[in-house]
Amino acid sequence: MERKTIDVVVLGAGAAGMMCAATAGTMGRSVVLIDHATKLAEKIRISGGGRCNFTNMNTRPECYLSQNPHFVKSALAQYTQHDFIKLVESHGLTYHEKTLGQLFCDQGSGAIIEMLKLEVDRAGVLWRMQTPIGEVRRVDDGFEVDAGDETWCCASLVVATGGLSIPPIGATGIGYDIARQFDLDIVPTTAALVPLTFQPQDMWGELAGVALEATEVSAGKGRFREDILLTHKGVSGPAILQVSSYWQPGEPVTINLLPDEDPAEFLASANRDALLSTVLAERLPRRFAQALAGQFGEVKPLKQYLPKEMSAIAERLSAWQVVPSGTLGYKKAEVTKGGVDTKGLNSKTMMARDVPGLFFIGEVVDVTGWLGGYNFQWAWSSAYVAGLNA
Ligand code: FDA
């Protein structure tokens, strides 16, 4: 092993790692950025359908889940969505806003990777891609990190190795292992922003491909008004991905199919000679309306349903409850919920309270954003403050 001395070692060259390395390098620190992947920042590349939803105009602490909901405040205030937008603009990139404040890069996600790479290069950071990380040791004046055939001696060690989602593109639990090695707690991890699976009896036949627009979906404390998409295995779409972060196994998910009106009034004002399925199809996709009507026995004209059946139909429209059998797991999850417990970290710097010089940033930390650019903003903000202090 060749021994080398450097100020800062950053583990993981994803969104957070590149941002942190560039910031620390710009501060005059010597930095090496180490990653085992062959291709740089694959998660940025596949994000936002290839357009990278790089931040959200409405970023605020309430859009994050963590055991300590206050933890994100300082970093998000020190490096805001507007700071990242300025960076994007300074590279001549353009963007557009989709729904709900989501900003996407017009030049595609590759341009965001190139921008960050350029920032890292400008800051004079050393790259070590395709480099497996070995042992990490605490020594008197910092840390030693074995990586490939080198041992790096550093004053500051930044862990930016992300979460567990999408293992084929490089996700590992190494960040959690390093945290445990230094006696930091780990909040149990689960797949989040992930499609939910249903029991076969809740699937109502072949509805895969049906999209329900602007439904209101809730689970636990999460409530979101967005589209849902029925799939072969269950449900997906933005509203479901959002509530998946709040859903606990065994609990129901409640779907309000008609959030803008009182379903009892809608049914009362409908043509009483029309079939239930025809009436429901005035508000819902036809295939779905037919399947839903079939849930109440033989499909009949509205006038033939008893009052208590009409109440049950109205109830189903405003609060369709299903207990998911699970999720599609880390293979399909956009993020990992849980991670390095924020109790052990300083929220202003991301440094471990009891291990001076050791930092955790990005998704490896117990901070999970909503869908819509919030997770990248957390990566940029947490990385920036660590870069200033590493
Ligand atoms: P990230 O995962 O980006 O980087 C971690 C790095 O560490 C990787 O390069 C990895 O190779 C490296 N690493 C891991 N283990 C290692 C080891 N043992 N040795 C060496 N290196 C190791 N968010 C958002 O805000 N907007 C969006 O549009 C999307 N879209 C999206 C789509 C899909 C399909 C996914 C899976 C995720 C998203 N996200 C998203 C989430 C977003 O990608 C995620 O929150 C950030 O990439 C997290 O950044 P980090 O730098 O923390 O981890």
Side-chain angles (χ1 to χ4, degrees):
M1 288 274 188
E2 195 182 342
R3 285 178 71 81
K4 294 189 170 164
T5 301
I6 201 151
D7 294 331
V8 184
V9 170
V10 179
L11 302 180
M18 281 198 282
M19 183 64 156
C20 180
T23 309
T26 306
M27 297 294 292
R29 307 282 277 162
S30 58
V31 185
V32 62
L33 181 53
I34 305 174
D35 200 298
H36 65 168
T38 327
K39 286 194 187 159
L40 180 60
E42 275 295 275
K43 257 190 206 164
I44 300 181
R45 193 175 304 282
I46 60 172
S47 69
R51 292 219 166 264
C52 187
N53 175 196
F54 57 79
T55 191
N56 194 295
M57 292 301 286
N58 306 319
T59 300
R60 57 198 190 280
E62 296 73 45
C63 307
Y64 293 88
L65 290 87
S66 171
Q67 296 237 313
N68 175 3
H70 303 291
F71 183 78
V72 296
K73 287 181 177 169
S74 177
L76 291 179
Q78 290 185 65
Y79 191 86
T80 69
Q81 60 272 40
H82 307 291
D83 292 316
F84 194 78
I85 292 167
K86 263 190 228 144
L87 178 66
V88 168
E89 288 173 348
S90 75
H91 282 255
L93 301 178
T94 54
Y95 51 88
H96 60 277
E97 182 175 346
K98 277 206 192 162
T99 51
L100 307 169
Q102 303 169 6
L103 300 191
F104 289 79
C105 181
D106 293 337
Q107 289 76 19
S109 51
I112 297 289
I113 300 174
E114 278 309 307
M115 175 191 86
L116 292 164
K117 185 168 177 290
L118 196 61
E119 290 289 320
V120 171
D121 287 340
R122 273 183 193 160
V125 173
L126 297 178
W127 287 95
R128 291 292 186 273
M129 292 298 293
Q130 296 184 57
T131 303
I133 299 163
E135 205 182 308
V136 172
R137 296 174 292 278
R138 182 106 178 95
V139 290
D140 282 348
D141 48 357
F143 304 87
E144 283 178 357
V145 180
D146 295 337
D149 50 12
E150 296 168 314
T151 294
W152 293 94
C153 310
C154 59
S156 296
L157 174 62
V158 182
V159 181
T161 45
L164 297 169
S165 56
I166 327 277
I169 57 170
T172 74
I174 191 172
Y176 310 126
D177 296 338
I178 296 172
R180 283 191 203 98
Q181 181 187 337
F182 290 99
D183 290 330
L184 277 94
D185 289 337
I186 303 294
V187 174
T189 56
T190 51
L193 298 183
V194 63
L196 298 173
T197 52
F198 281 2
Q199 302 284 0
Q201 69 269 21
D202 290 324
M203 288 302 293
W204 307 353
E206 194 38 71
L207 289 172
V210 170
L212 302 167
E213 285 171 16
T215 50
E216 190 180 85
V217 184
S218 49
K221 287 186 182 153
R223 180 183 295 270
F224 294 89
R225 178 89 190 265
E226 284 185 68
D227 299 349
I228 72 176
L229 177 69
L230 304 180
T231 69
H232 286 289
K233 293 193 176 142
V235 273
S236 185
I240 293 294
L241 299 184
Q242 296 281 32
V243 294
S244 71
S245 299
Y246 292 83
W247 176 72
Q248 297 291 332
E251 283 184 1
V253 166
T254 305
I255 302 171
N256 184 347
L257 295 162
L258 294 185
D260 289 324
E261 61 190 317
D262 179 341
E265 279 176 22
F266 162 64
L267 292 172
S269 64
N271 175 0
R272 296 185 50 73
D273 292 320
L275 289 174
L276 173 62
S277 50
T278 309
V279 171
L280 294 178
E282 287 174 25
R283 294 288 188 277
L284 299 165
R286 180 160 294 280
R287 264 205 293 158
F288 185 81
Q290 280 166 348
L292 179 57
Q295 292 287 297
F296 298 93
E298 184 201 344
V299 179
K300 303 174 281 196
L302 219 51
K303 64 186 176 198
Q304 292 180 18
Y305 287 90
L306 300 170
K308 73 170 193 222
E309 288 175 314
M310 290 294 270
S311 306
I313 297 164
E315 171 70 18
R316 183 67 64 90
L317 286 170
S318 63
W320 169 31
Q321 282 212 335
V322 244
V323 180
S325 51
T327 76
L328 288 186
Y330 291 116
K331 263 198 317 218
K332 296 285 174 193
E334 286 205 8
V335 290
T336 301
K337 188 178 156 194
V340 177
D341 195 330
T342 59
K343 270 198 323 266
L345 304 177
N346 179 323
S347 67
K348 294 186 179 65
T349 61
M350 300 294 132
M351 191 164 81
R353 291 183 186 284
D354 297 332
V355 192
L358 179 64
F359 296 77
F360 291 87
I361 58 174
E363 196 180 319
V364 73
V365 179
D366 169 37
V367 169
T368 306
W370 289 354
L371 186 79
Y374 299 98
N375 284 295
F376 277 137
Q377 186 57 47
W378 170 246
W380 318 135
S381 299
S382 58
Y384 178 79
V385 301
L388 290 186
N389 292 282

